[in-house]
Amino acid sequence: MIVKLAAIFFSMILVNNYVLVKFLGICPFLGVSKKLDSSLGMSGAVIFVMFMATAVTFPIQIFVLDPAGLGYLQTIVFILVIAVLVQFIEIFLKKYMVSLYNALGVYLPLITTNCCVLGVAILVVDDYGGDVATLGFAWAYIESLVCAVGAGVGFMLAMCMFSCVRKRVEVCDAPGPMKGLPITLVAAAITSLSFMGFGGIVENLFNVTL
Amino acid sequence: MAQEKVSKVSILTNGIIKENPVLRLVLGTCSTLALTTSVSNAFGMGAAFTFVLVLSNVLIAMLRNVIPAKVHLPCYIVIIASFVTVVQMVMQAFTQSLYDAMGVFIPLIVVNCIILGRAEMFACKNTVVDSAIDGVGMGIGYTLTLLLMSTIREILGNGTWLGFQVMPEGYVPIGIMTQSPGAFLCFGLLMGLCVWVEEKLDARIERKIGCQPIKDLQEGEDNK
């Protein structure tokens, strides 16, 4: 079982990377990756909020929406819960953890309308909601939390890698119309190409089927 | 409110060319990159997106004097999420295969920055009719860009267009174009082409990626 958790974690980072393979959270990936420290801050905030959001929305889906037959309200409920949660985290950090707030605070308002947070909340329900019946709630809950953290770490890896790539791209002399954003997107294409090499690695490494 | 009366036609074309949401404003990149693998996906996404944008624009314009300024964002999100749920249910009922292919990106229309951006920039200060026209224009601009990109990607990556074989028999598809690197590459080259055309027409604008909070953050960094 531990092996399966490790496999989920690494497959979220390498094979199903949220940014480069699934295209969730492209705005911050291109917008905030100019400097290494700001991309670290942003992805730290994303990991934190993804974990909290999944920890709250997964039980809501299993214990409130599904028994009441309200599965169709998922989108509305999740986005409101995430918006409230981000506000709450911001207020809480400002009051009690000032140093953490100074590091992550500026990035928190970006996260409410960030598709990777809502995306991870919906995808873990799709992927691991079925495991509640077979493996029990506790185990499915742990799986979904590991998946959320893995997705966040994958986001961090992509952001940090890309901010280093970007430093090189910015000094090079691109053809006139390609300067700026277009050449950055082409660089992202090559970064994404490198992640395709990880296809199948996790299944073979841990000898499990996901 | 603007003093000069803006004509309805210019509101409509504004979204298609001058403020094309994808290529000029660089908004809603996630769904653009993810759903241009095939023309049918792009068409489905464009239709769903236009539906949500027009109806949310209309409703927000109707309620613009009722919604308190302090809680405007949650109100907009609830309105948009309701229409997204409608789209979700309709697509699940009538176009199951398209619904499965688009997956998580249908609920993610809620956090698409184009819709929220139009609500904040346009619908909350304009009349119902103007907002509806703006929604239609933006929707057409978005759909056309998606169709253009998916046409390039599907023909090169699969040799087909909307499922029909268009390339000659001996054509070997460039598989990578329908996978994730192809999306970035195609988007980058298309944007480069768009900038080139702008330079010829002397209408170049500075592109800043993403929604308003990200732009504010970038400006703060640049001023440091």
Side-chain angles (χ1 to χ4, degrees):
Chain A
M1 278 310 199
I2 299 296
V3 174
K4 197 186 173 197
L5 288 183
I8 290 174
F9 184 71
F10 285 107
S11 86
M12 289 314 286
I13 296 176
L14 298 175
V15 184
N16 294 322
N17 190 294
Y18 261 36
V19 179
L20 294 169
V21 178
K22 288 195 176 167
F23 300 123
L24 295 168
I26 299 289
C27 286
F29 174 66
L30 295 172
V32 196
S33 64
K34 261 188 189 159
K35 293 195 185 94
L36 187 60
D37 53 343
S38 59
S39 46
L40 274 173
M42 177 73 196
S43 35
V46 165
I47 295 177
F48 190 58
V49 174
M50 266 183 173
F51 178 80
M52 296 294 284
T54 312
V56 174
T57 52
F58 194 73
I60 288 181
Q61 175 80 23
I62 303 298
F63 292 123
V64 181
L65 296 181
D66 281 351
L70 294 173
Y72 62 90
L73 284 181
Q74 192 195 45
T75 314
I76 301 182
V77 171
F78 279 18
I79 186 75
L80 286 178
V81 168
I82 291 169
V84 171
L85 189 75
V86 174
Q87 284 284 318
F88 178 76
I89 290 173
E90 198 177 346
I91 295 169
F92 183 84
L93 289 184
K94 212 175 192 171
K95 185 95 172 82
Y96 295 105
M97 300 174 179
V98 180
S99 59
L100 197 60
Y101 179 78
N102 290 337
L104 306 181
V106 278
Y107 305 107
L108 283 174
L110 301 183
I111 290 177
T112 320
T113 54
N114 187 338
C115 43
C116 54
V117 177
L118 183 62
V120 81
I122 294 172
L123 284 172
V124 293
V125 167
D126 288 351
D127 291 347
Y128 305 109
D131 287 355
V132 174
T134 52
L135 299 169
F137 174 74
W139 194 254
Y141 194 47
I142 293 171
E143 276 183 340
S144 60
L145 290 179
V146 168
C147 174
V149 175
V153 175
F155 183 84
M156 179 184 249
L157 179 70
M159 286 280 279
C160 295
M161 264 178 68
F162 193 59
S163 73
C164 301
V165 171
R166 234 178 136 158
K167 260 183 205 154
R168 303 284 164 97
V169 170
E170 254 159 43
V171 292
C172 72
D173 187 25
M178 294 298 285
K179 273 202 182 84
L181 205 47
I183 197 75
T184 311
L185 283 163
V186 175
I190 295 168
T191 316
S192 159
L193 195 64
S194 70
F195 269 74
M196 282 186 72
F198 291 120
I201 189 173
V202 170
E203 280 88 342
N204 290 319
L205 209 60
F206 292 97
N207 224 350
V208 287
T209 46
L210 284 176
Chain B
M1 213 143 292
Q3 287 297 310
E4 74 273 32
K5 199 86 183 124
V6 190
S7 79
K8 309 280 183 221
V9 181
S10 75
I11 296 175
L12 185 71
T13 53
N14 187 35
I16 303 176
I17 300 162
K18 199 171 149 230
E19 285 188 9
N20 185 303
V22 182
L23 286 173
R24 278 178 70 97
L25 302 186
V26 207
L27 293 169
T29 35
C30 298
S31 51
T32 311
L33 291 170
L35 289 169
T36 47
T37 46
S38 70
V39 176
S40 62
N41 277 355
F43 200 73
M45 181 65 195
F49 173 86
T50 310
F51 176 83
V52 175
L53 180 57
V54 172
L55 288 184
S56 69
N57 254 4
V58 167
L59 196 61
I60 288 166
M62 275 178 186
L63 298 174
R64 67 184 188 278
N65 297 326
V66 184
I67 295 175
K70 267 187 182 165
V71 290
H72 69 286
L73 213 54
C75 293
Y76 295 166
I77 290 178
V78 172
I79 292 171
I80 297 167
S82 322
F83 286 120
V84 170
T85 309
V86 172
V87 167
Q88 233 174 327
M89 291 166 102
V90 169
M91 287 188 73
Q92 206 168 6
F94 295 107
T95 54
Q96 182 70 47
S97 60
L98 195 61
Y99 177 81
D100 292 338
M102 285 165 63
V104 74
F105 285 95
I106 306 173
L108 287 184
I109 297 177
V110 181
V111 285
N112 191 312
C113 16
I114 306 174
I115 298 187
L116 213 53
R118 284 333 277 176
E120 277 202 11
M121 280 187 283
F122 198 92
C124 68
K125 0 183 158 110
N126 286 285
T127 60
V128 176
V129 180
D130 284 356
S131 303
I133 297 173
D134 177 71
V136 173
M138 281 283 161
I140 293 175
Y142 180 79
T143 312
L144 283 181
T145 320
L146 246 64
L147 284 177
L148 177 65
M149 238 177 101
S150 62
T151 303
I152 299 172
R153 286 184 67 193
E154 198 183 333
I155 289 181
L156 287 180
N158 214 8
T160 56
W161 192 83
L162 206 61
F164 299 108
Q165 188 74 32
V166 287
M167 292 303 253
E169 278 295 301
Y171 175 71
V172 182
I174 312 167
I176 207 120
M177 285 308 285
T178 53
Q179 284 162 316
S180 37
F184 284 114
L185 186 67
C186 183
F187 192 32
L189 294 179
L190 211 57
M191 195 180 283
L193 186 71
C194 184
V195 175
W196 182 76
V197 173
E198 278 168 21
E199 273 176 354
K200 294 275 166 229
L201 298 174
D202 209 17
R204 183 155 185 183
I205 52 162
E206 202 198 339
R207 281 179 171 71
K208 280 259 164 86
I209 177 88
C211 21
Q212 204 52 49
I214 289 189
K215 282 178 192 158
D216 294 346
L217 191 74
Q218 279 179 333
E219 266 158 34
E221 268 182 4
D222 291 345
N223 292 338
K224 254 182 216 168

